Amino acid sequence: MNDIVEKVVAGDVRTVARLIRDIDDGMPEVRGILKDLYPHTGKAYVIGITGAPGVGKSTLVDQMVAHLRKRDKTVGVLAVDPTSPFSGGAILGDRVRMQRHSMDQGVFIRSLATRGHFGGLTQSTRSAIDVFDAMGKDYILVETVGVGQDEVDVVRSAHTTVIVVIPGMGDDIQAIKAGILEIGDIFLINKADREGSDKTLSDLRLMIEMDHKKYDRGEWKPPILKIQAVFDKGVAEFIDEIDKHAKYLAETAGGLDFRESKSKVRQELGEMIKARLIEEVIDRLTESGDFDRAVESIINGKIDPYTACENLVLPIVS
Amino acid sequence: MKQKRRVRVMVAKPGLDGHDRGARIIARAYRDAGFEVVYTGLHQTPEEIVEAAIQEDVDMIGLSSLAGAHKYLFLAVVELLREKAADDIVVCGGGIIPDDDIKRLKESGVKEVFTPGTPLDDIVKWVKHNITPRQD
């Protein structure tokens, strides 16, 4: 086991690739390894990128990798794509836009499927971030489709959260308003050569200006940038904004090491407990057969699901 | 959650061949069979494919070629996997490939070759029978 930790810290690609799969597959052995890796984490800068399907997240990530590599920074990419709720399979296609970096030893790209496990996406993605961190990647880019609480939580745990939109999706912005607008540290309007980019810009600006009291208190004011990721237009300026945000975090918002941030540790520990509890409880109930018996009873009309749930859970937690 | 390991496969288009409809349909069939499918896109070198397969920890690489360079490209992938001590990753191929070449490819480490007209169900069944997710 220590052998694995050593290899990860030394940056061994095969070991890291296998470990991430073991994490994703919920292998119990990884817990010990993650414990031992923890002291080696806390150095990477994590950037979360989210937005609706088709706004250009993967293309943007590809350009970001190119820019960061020019600065001699090493990069880990976690690209999350949805699992089919019907078959359990997934097509992980984000690599298509990033393959030019696959021979670069300073870049590690890994595709993850959402898999639909109970709150597990957040957990396994965060563990994968820790692994990249421990292997010494300077930057870790996490890309998710911005739908569903899990995906939002994943990018929220980043140092800098980036929301990508495109012009002409007015209603889409309405949707984002309710969910993910408040988590954005930087907003990008990609494909900005398209009609309606000024309208999108003013919509976003209006939303952000409404929080002007926060900015008056010195809190970070999210910039909005028009970019064309596929032509690499505006990406350098975007990276500069990430630097500014990092500086803001370091100087005014309590530092860059997550492990020293009370709110991050609270959030992370809370999620860890949640995931572990569900895992332990469901495992116990399925192994004992109580779960299936309760399902039968509900179907046969012998019990209602609310009572069944209480009967299953309360004996375990009390 | 004690999860069962998922089969992870990669579908790749090596070389200059730009015909990816077959590869996409295969990718879709694999997804519908419950596999996790990493798709690399067009114009990949064997080196890029092998590096990506290692980073993604896949159980199998499915290579598609309709342009005639399959012998060189498929065997280059097999050879590189061997060099990198990653030859536990199974290599399969599909495309317009003459019978003589299929024989040669299989002798050299390509596990199976599917030609045009093979029903998707047969391909999926073959993968289910012959590819097990990494156990160690």
Side-chain angles (χ1 to χ4, degrees):
Chain A
M1 189 190 290
N2 281 327
D3 189 37
I4 294 179
V5 173
E6 265 169 41
K7 280 184 173 167
V8 170
V9 174
D12 184 74
V13 173
R14 193 103 210 261
T15 309
V16 168
R18 288 174 156 241
L19 180 58
I20 291 177
R21 180 150 179 213
D22 289 347
I23 290 167
D24 216 17
D25 286 341
M27 298 287 136
E29 313 86 80
V30 300
R31 287 196 191 118
I33 298 167
L34 288 169
K35 282 179 200 167
D36 292 343
L37 280 177
Y38 186 73
H40 300 280
T41 62
K43 295 175 292 265
Y45 194 85
V46 185
I47 303 167
I49 297 117
T50 193
V55 298
K57 295 180 294 297
S58 301
T59 304
L60 174 69
V61 167
D62 170 66
Q63 299 287 13
M64 290 172 75
V65 171
H67 279 269
L68 292 168
R69 291 299 291 146
K70 266 184 228 152
R71 298 177 174 196
D72 262 339
K73 301 293 182 191
T74 56
V75 189
V77 176
L78 290 169
V80 183
D81 267 334
T83 292
S84 155
F86 301 108
S87 72
I91 293 186
L92 309 168
D94 293 321
R95 272 198 100 90
V96 175
R97 317 262 176 254
M98 311 175 193
Q99 263 301 82
R100 65 170 160 149
H101 302 295
S102 72
M103 292 306 292
D104 181 346
Q105 294 302 308
V107 182
F108 194 128
I109 301 167
R110 180 54 175 251
S111 317
L112 293 173
T114 53
R115 292 205 177 179
H117 29 169
F118 304 90
L121 173 69
T122 327
Q123 200 51 55
S124 59
T125 311
R126 193 158 301 160
S127 300
I129 291 171
D130 279 346
V131 174
F132 275 169
D133 191 345
M135 90 181 283
K137 293 287 179 254
D138 299 316
Y139 283 85
I140 298 167
L141 315 183
V142 185
E143 175 197 333
T144 75
V145 171
V147 285
Q149 193 56 46
D150 271 1
E151 282 92 330
V152 171
D153 281 347
V154 168
V155 286
R156 226 179 95 195
S157 65
H159 291 98
T160 301
T161 301
V162 182
I163 312 278
V164 188
V165 300
I166 52 173
M169 291 178 80
D171 285 340
D172 197 61
I173 291 192
Q174 300 295 326
I176 287 168
K177 257 191 227 171
I180 57 176
L181 195 69
E182 55 265 55
I183 66 165
D185 299 309
I186 299 174
F187 288 86
L188 299 178
I189 303 169
N190 193 23
K191 312 188 189 184
D193 53 328
R194 287 193 181 180
E195 198 183 323
S197 65
D198 286 332
K199 167 90 169 64
T200 306
L201 180 67
S202 64
D203 284 353
L204 281 173
R205 197 173 276 155
L206 182 69
M207 291 304 306
I208 287 165
E209 289 295 342
M210 284 173 77
D211 283 331
H212 61 91
K213 280 187 190 135
K214 282 204 312 202
Y215 317 132
D216 292 345
R217 288 197 302 268
E219 284 188 38
W220 174 257
K221 182 177 176 181
I224 313 163
L225 280 79
K226 286 192 192 178
I227 64 161
Q228 292 173 52
V230 75
F231 303 119
D232 196 25
K233 277 192 189 160
V235 179
E237 292 79 357
F238 161 51
I239 306 261
D240 291 341
E241 291 295 336
I242 294 174
D243 287 344
K244 280 186 210 156
H245 187 239
K247 196 161 170 256
Y248 160 81
L249 290 178
E251 287 170 4
T252 39
L256 287 174
D257 193 343
F258 280 167
R259 301 178 305 173
E260 292 164 2
S261 151
K262 204 174 217 174
S263 65
K264 293 280 185 198
V265 171
R266 278 182 82 95
Q267 190 192 345
E268 185 171 349
L269 182 62
E271 272 162 26
M272 234 179 238
I273 291 172
K274 196 169 73 182
R276 183 70 186 266
L277 261 182
I278 293 173
E279 183 184 319
E280 298 281 347
V281 170
I282 299 263
D283 277 355
R284 206 176 293 184
L285 293 176
T286 40
E287 268 163 38
S288 67
D290 287 347
F291 188 83
D292 289 333
R293 275 192 289 277
V295 170
E296 283 300 315
S297 304
I298 295 166
I299 291 170
N300 296 330
K302 285 187 199 143
I303 197 169
D304 66 274
Y306 301 97
T307 314
C309 174
E310 259 179 27
N311 291 348
L312 290 175
V313 173
L314 290 183
I316 295 178
V317 293
S318 60
Chain B
M1 195 63 32
K2 283 191 189 101
Q3 295 212 341
K4 269 203 329 215
R5 279 211 194 271
R6 288 282 158 81
V7 175
R8 272 175 81 88
V9 299
M10 171 169 284
V11 173
K13 287 284 304 177
L16 297 175
D17 172 16
H19 307 85
D20 62 347
R21 180 166 300 187
R24 284 164 187 248
I25 286 174
I26 293 283
R28 172 67 196 272
Y30 285 164
R31 185 198 73 174
D32 292 345
F35 310 149
E36 285 182 358
V37 191
V38 181
Y39 182 58
T40 63
L42 293 165
H43 309 315
Q44 301 295 303
T45 65
E47 287 82 1
E48 286 169 337
I49 290 168
V50 167
E51 199 55 48
I54 289 173
Q55 289 181 6
E56 297 286 354
D57 192 25
V58 293
D59 303 302
M60 180 189 105
I61 304 173
L63 298 168
S64 159
S65 169
L66 293 89
H70 46 263
K71 257 200 301 200
Y72 168 75
L73 292 164
F74 290 10
L75 295 182
V77 169
V78 170
E79 193 48 47
L80 281 164
L81 284 171
R82 211 169 279 152
E83 255 172 48
K84 302 224 165 207
D87 48 354
D88 52 311
I89 300 173
V90 173
V91 178
C92 282
I96 301 168
I97 296 166
D99 288 345
D100 289 351
D101 291 357
I102 292 178
K103 190 162 167 274
R104 170 77 215 287
L105 288 171
K106 281 180 149 180
E107 280 165 7
S108 309
V110 176
K111 182 110 187 219
E112 189 54 88
V113 177
F114 301 100
T115 49
T118 314
L120 286 174
D121 281 351
D122 291 0
I123 299 175
V124 166
K125 239 180 251 164
W126 185 91
V127 176
K128 281 186 171 166
H129 273 271
N130 291 280
I131 306 297
T132 40
R134 172 166 73 71
Q135 292 306 311
D136 56 324

